[in-house]
Each structure stands twice: as C-alpha cells, then as structure tokens.
Amino acid sequence: KSEHVDPEGLRKIRNSKFTLVDLAGSERQKRTAALGHRLKEASMINKFLLCLGHVINAVLDREAGRVRHIPFRNSKLTILPRDTWGGNSKTCLVATVSPSVK
C-alpha cells in the first residue's frame, strides 16, 4: 500500500495484491497410474483449470461489450483472486506447458 498527495492536495492510495497459484501435476488421468489421493488431486486441478477457462472467457466477453455473468463461484480457486480480474487491475497469467508424450 502506498499513499501519495498530488499538487492539488488530493490523497491517492494505491493497493497491490500478488497471488500465486501452482497447478503442477495436472495430467491425463488415463495415462498415469495415480490412485487414491493423487487421483483426487489431479481431478481437482483439472476441474479448476476448466473453471479458470470459463472465468477468463467471461471476462474477455465482458471487455468486448457482451453482457455475461462471470462464474467466480464455481471453484474456490477462482473465488480467491476474483478482485484481480476486473476494474482497473492489471493481471498477468504465466503458464508453463509441456507437450504430451505419446
């Protein structure tokens, strides 16, 4: 948080938020021998990625002028960073993707 008073005497406050989400381990479940907890974790990661894709598409549609509901509540991990997706915030999404080995 930083505060600044401009020459006109107006106090301006800038807030920052930094959110990191690590989704390592998302994979095709048929090709792994994951069982039990690992299988459940991989399923949850894949579900979150699907929900994240829906949120990103809805935000892009809204910015293009189409009225659309943004489904933040479909996943706990899209609820947490919901304030970083709109308004005057700047969001950067970094993804490391490797090709599938056949």
Side-chain angles (χ1 to χ4, degrees):
K1 183 176 181 179
S2 67
E3 294 187 28
H4 172 80
V5 178
D6 68 4
E8 299 171 358
L10 295 175
R11 192 174 109 199
K12 296 183 178 184
I13 300 173
R14 178 180 294 177
N15 291 317
S16 299
K17 183 176 181 180
F18 190 75
T19 306
L20 287 174
V21 178
D22 180 14
L23 296 176
S26 175
E27 20 189 65
R28 295 192 185 264
Q29 295 169 1
K30 285 184 180 180
R31 293 185 183 169
T32 64
L35 297 172
H37 180 70
R38 285 186 180 249
L39 181 61
K40 185 176 180 181
E41 182 181 355
S43 296
M44 295 302 291
I45 290 171
N46 289 335
K47 178 185 172 192
F48 169 68
L49 288 172
L50 181 65
C51 292
L52 182 62
H54 289 257
V55 168
I56 291 171
N57 286 331
V59 169
L60 292 174
D61 284 348
R62 184 175 277 185
E63 287 182 5
R66 288 169 264 186
V67 178
R68 185 167 173 202
H69 168 70
I70 300 176
F72 292 118
R73 294 184 182 180
N74 288 355
S75 171
K76 288 180 184 177
L77 291 175
T78 53
I79 290 174
L80 295 174
R82 72 179 173 263
D83 56 342
T84 63
W85 292 103
N88 63 354
S89 64
K90 295 180 181 178
T91 301
C92 177
L93 180 65
V94 178
T96 303
V97 181
S98 62
S100 176
V101 177
K102 292 185 179 185

